[in-house]
Amino acid sequence: YEMGVLAFQMGDRDRGEECFRQFIKIRKSKGSNMDEGVANALFVLGSLHWATKKKDLAHSSWVEALDIFEGLGRTADDPYVKSLKEKIRRAERRPIGRLFRG
């Protein structure tokens, strides 16, 4: 996780994304599906996807992060839960231009 953060801070988005993916893969392979670190990595990964116009990937990352946080007992007034719910709602909205296409 920390390597991903450092890569982003150094401006290496691709390396940061790969570090987060590896972190998630390793934690999950060890049976840590309900892991706060995984949820945090998914939160960040979703934001990266959103910034790079990968709406579906952002949405799925955020939904998984929210499921984990709620599974860990975080409530609706938790800042991460609030933020994720808003991000998910935003990702589920269709752009206005797409509403008028056939």
Side-chain angles (χ1 to χ4, degrees):
Y1 181 87
E2 288 81 10
M3 293 298 291
V5 172
L6 286 172
F8 280 120
Q9 288 174 346
M10 294 175 56
D12 190 347
R13 180 177 285 184
D14 292 337
R15 178 75 177 135
E17 182 177 347
E18 182 58 29
C19 287
F20 282 119
R21 287 185 190 287
Q22 288 298 317
F23 173 82
I24 292 165
K25 181 179 176 182
I26 290 167
R27 284 286 180 92
K28 285 182 173 183
S29 74
K30 295 184 177 277
S32 299
N33 288 336
M34 296 304 283
D35 181 292
E36 190 164 332
V38 171
N40 285 327
L42 287 163
F43 185 100
V44 174
L45 200 53
S47 298
L48 169 67
H49 291 317
W50 185 262
T52 57
K53 310 290 188 220
K54 298 174 188 169
K55 183 177 171 179
D56 291 339
L57 290 174
H59 182 267
S60 63
S61 295
W62 290 332
V63 167
E64 188 175 351
L66 179 61
D67 289 344
I68 293 170
F69 280 132
E70 290 179 334
L72 293 172
R74 294 211 182 184
T75 58
D77 63 337
D78 179 89
Y80 282 102
V81 171
K82 282 182 178 180
S83 178
L84 282 165
K85 285 183 176 182
E86 176 55 35
K87 289 175 181 294
I88 291 165
R89 274 192 295 275
R90 192 174 347 132
E92 289 173 347
R93 284 189 219 130
R94 291 179 56 174
I96 292 174
R98 294 175 78 192
L99 293 174
F100 298 105
R101 291 188 198 152

